[in-house]
Amino acid sequence: MQENSLDLLSSLPDEILARIISFLPSEFALQTSFLSTRWASLWNTALVQHGTTEAAATAISEFLTHFDELNPLRQPRRLQYHFGKGSTSILLATIAANNKLQVDFSTGKQEFQKQFDWQLGLNHQSLTDQPSPSTFFVKTLLLKSVGFQSKEAVSSIVSNFQFLESLKIIECNGLQTLEIDSSPRLKSLTILDCPQLKSLFVRSLKLRSFRYRGLLPWLLTENHFNLKDAMLDFRQGPGDNSFGSCDFDPSLLTIKNAEILTLCKWTFEKLIWPSISYLHGNFQFYKLRELWWIDNSSEGYNSDALISFLKLCPALEQLFVTVDSKSYSMPTTTTYSKKVARHSKLERLKVVKLVGFTNEEDELSLAEQLTKLAVKEPLFIATADGICLRSLVKVHLYQPKLNQTHVKYTHNYKFVEENGDMSELCVNHAHMGL
């Protein structure tokens, strides 16, 4: 075909193109969205409706009920629901792959961010006692920018999702207290960037993943659950300075058996170490394989807290250390025991990535400490900007002293910039980039 020939296929009506795609296997049908903006638009068709805030739950329920499971396009995939005074508020519901539903209130005119408390009850009823609410079963739900006026509608929506396994709540300004009463099906809970959240109460029996980013709220749990994946990104600091180590103890028990963990230095110093220091290393994170340690450098870099924590992690394989100048810090008055823990060596450590260090001397000092702690020398990667990657190599540097015939031995290592294949070095913690 000549390059200037007409694309007759793309000029066909939407209904015919959708019919053509319906004959393709699902994985190939999805790839048609990359052919051109014309084909991509088939997947972005939105159903536009207007109504009241109270009717939003019904609108979403009907939208899911009429979702055609037999059509690979499953048109339409988006509901744009206008509500509120003058219909200036917008709810955008988007159906994504793998039974995922996104409900976003950030589009349109934002309501006045009145502070509010939110009690979110997930479905507890027996599946055998419930009719199927729709042909699309929501297993993963993302809620964005829920506010005072929309919380009741969202609560009504969520109560219908009896197959819900993963819940993500982000950017809910004004939210002060959140209480989640979940069903045993819920396995994953993520809460990100809710700046006014001061109290979080979770009632769950089988939660396995908990990811949180923001000010440390009052954390309350009714049931004990063992997390496999825990992200405690409290780099913004405590929401209430009266929250102490004894208040954190129930949460500490939930992360004890975690395999993937994000932890801030100040959290360990203030909330964890006071509770376990007297145990002389008998409290261990036996299953921890991947650790993202968020540090600060406001008073100069000090690795004592990190090294003490690592001695509690005998199974660690990957370590990521980020120095964030904006991270909350507190005066370092903690002293760490020199007594060797039961498993003080890192026998499985393979990769160490250092991010955000502004002083190479600090990088080298930490690298040498970790090398001594590891049984086998791991791969070290360093980056200050996230783009330029450097790896650690062993060198023999000698610095002559004046008026002396002998030499002084300095660092055993140095970091060198990598210019070749960096695929091996482009490794990140599971929680980075959220």
Side-chain angles (χ1 to χ4, degrees):
M1 295 179 65
Q2 297 181 0
E3 293 184 1
N4 60 350
S5 62
L6 295 176
D7 184 359
L8 298 178
L9 190 61
S10 295
S11 64
L12 294 173
D14 288 356
E15 294 78 8
I16 296 179
L17 291 180
R19 182 62 177 167
I20 293 173
I21 293 176
S22 69
F23 290 104
L24 297 175
S26 297
E27 62 271 20
F28 295 115
L30 288 170
Q31 292 177 16
T32 62
S33 63
F34 299 104
L35 293 176
S36 67
T37 55
R38 172 72 180 87
W39 288 84
S41 65
L42 294 173
W43 298 88
N44 295 322
T45 303
L47 174 65
V48 180
Q49 293 183 356
H50 293 75
T52 64
T53 305
E54 294 74 18
T58 301
I60 288 185
S61 179
E62 293 179 351
F63 172 58
L64 297 177
T65 299
H66 296 95
F67 189 67
D68 187 5
E69 185 69 21
L70 299 178
N71 183 354
L73 281 180
R74 298 171 187 173
Q75 294 271 28
R77 301 182 66 84
R78 298 195 302 165
L79 168 66
Q80 186 172 301
Y81 184 81
H82 297 252
F83 64 98
K85 186 176 181 180
S87 296
T88 55
S89 297
I90 300 175
L91 177 161
L92 184 60
T94 304
I95 292 175
N98 301 318
N99 299 88
K100 181 177 181 179
L101 176 67
Q102 301 175 8
V103 180
D104 184 358
F105 291 88
S106 65
T107 306
K109 183 179 179 181
Q110 295 296 297
E111 64 180 81
F112 174 73
Q113 298 303 336
K114 182 178 179 181
Q115 294 182 340
F116 65 99
D117 300 332
W118 189 12
Q119 184 173 356
L120 187 59
L122 305 185
N123 200 299
H124 282 275
Q125 301 177 39
S126 170
L127 298 181
T128 58
D129 297 334
Q130 294 185 57
S132 175
S134 70
T135 59
F136 180 84
F137 298 123
V138 177
K139 293 185 178 180
T140 300
L141 177 64
L142 185 150
L143 302 174
K144 182 177 180 180
S145 299
V146 177
F148 173 77
Q149 295 180 356
S150 54
K151 67 169 184 175
E152 295 301 332
V154 174
S155 296
S156 179
I157 293 169
V158 174
S159 66
N160 292 323
F161 300 151
Q162 68 263 36
F163 293 97
L164 192 63
E165 297 176 357
S166 177
L167 175 63
K168 188 174 183 179
I169 300 173
I170 65 174
E171 300 175 15
C172 295
N173 292 321
L175 177 61
Q176 282 192 307
T177 301
L178 176 61
E179 180 179 342
I180 297 177
D181 187 5
S182 75
S183 70
R185 280 183 171 267
L186 188 70
K187 300 297 191 299
S188 175
L189 174 63
T190 300
I191 302 173
L192 305 176
D193 308 325
C194 298
Q196 287 82 39
L197 187 58
K198 298 295 177 62
S199 178
L200 174 62
F201 177 61
V202 179
R203 186 182 290 110
S204 176
L205 291 173
K206 297 184 179 181
L207 199 65
R208 292 295 175 263
S209 174
F210 175 69
R211 298 178 175 184
Y212 186 93
R213 183 173 65 217
L215 287 168
L216 168 65
W218 275 90
L219 287 171
L220 302 170
T221 57
E222 181 174 287
N223 307 107
H224 174 71
F225 44 85
N226 288 313
L227 294 173
K228 181 179 179 180
D229 180 321
M231 172 179 166
L232 306 181
D233 187 347
F234 302 139
R235 75 180 83 183
Q236 296 181 30
D240 188 334
N241 287 319
S242 65
F243 191 84
S245 60
C246 59
D247 302 306
F248 189 75
D249 283 347
S251 299
L252 176 58
L253 293 177
T254 67
I255 67 173
K256 186 178 186 296
N257 293 311
E259 297 180 15
I260 303 173
L261 177 65
T262 292
L263 190 67
C264 294
K265 173 184 176 180
W266 80 264
T267 308
F268 175 68
E269 289 185 314
K270 181 179 179 180
L271 303 179
I272 297 179
W273 184 250
S275 295
I276 67 174
S277 58
Y278 70 95
L279 298 175
H280 303 295
N282 290 319
F283 186 98
Q284 300 270 306
F285 294 84
Y286 287 106
K287 297 182 180 180
L288 186 59
R289 296 183 293 102
E290 296 181 25
L291 170 65
W292 181 17
W293 179 270
I294 302 175
D295 217 316
N296 61 73
S297 57
S298 58
E299 298 179 353
Y301 184 73
N302 187 320
S303 62
D304 290 350
L306 172 59
I307 298 300
S308 296
F309 183 77
L310 292 178
K311 291 179 179 179
L312 307 175
C313 310
L316 191 67
E317 298 177 4
Q318 296 186 344
L319 171 64
F320 302 83
V321 182
T322 295
V323 174
D324 185 350
S325 60
K326 297 181 180 179
S327 178
Y328 174 81
S329 62
M330 50 185 287
T332 302
T333 58
T334 307
T335 55
Y336 298 98
S337 173
K338 299 297 182 181
K339 185 174 180 179
V340 178
R342 188 186 309 172
H343 304 284
S344 60
K345 286 287 187 177
L346 299 177
E347 299 180 359
R348 304 180 187 178
L349 187 62
K350 300 176 183 178
V351 177
V352 176
K353 186 171 185 179
L354 309 179
V355 181
F357 282 77
T358 57
N359 187 335
E360 188 174 8
E361 189 73 20
D362 292 334
E363 287 179 325
L364 291 172
S365 177
L366 177 58
E368 291 189 351
Q369 291 183 74
L370 294 175
T371 301
K372 294 176 182 178
L373 197 59
V375 172
K376 185 179 179 181
E377 187 173 310
L379 170 67
F380 281 88
I381 309 162
T383 177
D385 55 9
I387 301 175
C388 179
L389 299 177
R390 294 168 292 127
S391 61
L392 190 72
V393 296
K394 181 171 285 190
V395 295
H396 296 285
L397 296 178
Y398 294 92
Q399 181 179 1
K401 284 190 175 181
L402 295 177
N403 301 323
Q404 294 185 19
T405 57
H406 67 278
V407 294
K408 179 183 177 182
Y409 189 72
T410 59
H411 284 299
N412 297 324
Y413 302 88
K414 71 174 182 178
F415 282 98
V416 295
E417 187 172 338
E418 294 287 342
N419 297 316
D421 183 12
M422 296 183 293
S423 58
E424 185 182 14
L425 305 181
C426 295
V427 56
N428 284 315
H429 189 274
H431 300 158
M432 290 178 170
L434 290 181

